[in-house]
Amino acid sequence: MSIRRRLRRAFVATNRVLYELSGGTLGGKLRGSAVLLLATTGRRSGGTHTVPLLFLADTNDYILVASNGG
């Protein structure tokens, strides 16, 4: 695994833990954009994965930004 990928995974894990422990006070914003925690079920593993995603409110909808760190 590349060093870049390891750093990204460490950042995501740290952000998730801070968000959960602080109730969204820490890790709830990234570069001025709101962050939510999305829990998904792995297709092969069947395990639950929780990832932070940026989102925008658009009238009555939400727009999720899932860019794999891009």
Side-chain angles (χ1 to χ4, degrees):
M1 184 182 318
S2 72
I3 200 88
R4 189 176 215 170
R5 187 169 181 187
R6 286 183 197 173
L7 288 172
R8 187 176 20 218
R9 282 185 171 202
F11 174 77
V12 168
T14 302
N15 189 3
R16 182 182 55 80
V17 169
L18 286 174
Y19 190 108
E20 289 176 342
L21 291 176
S22 71
T25 304
L26 298 174
K29 286 208 178 265
L30 183 62
R31 294 187 178 175
S33 296
V35 175
L36 64 80
L37 294 181
L38 178 70
T40 62
T41 303
R43 182 182 59 150
R44 287 182 273 167
S45 69
T48 302
H49 306 279
T50 304
V51 293
L53 294 179
L54 296 178
F55 76 96
L56 305 166
D58 181 37
T59 314
N60 296 326
D61 298 316
Y62 293 102
I63 300 168
L64 301 179
V65 181
S67 68
N68 197 20

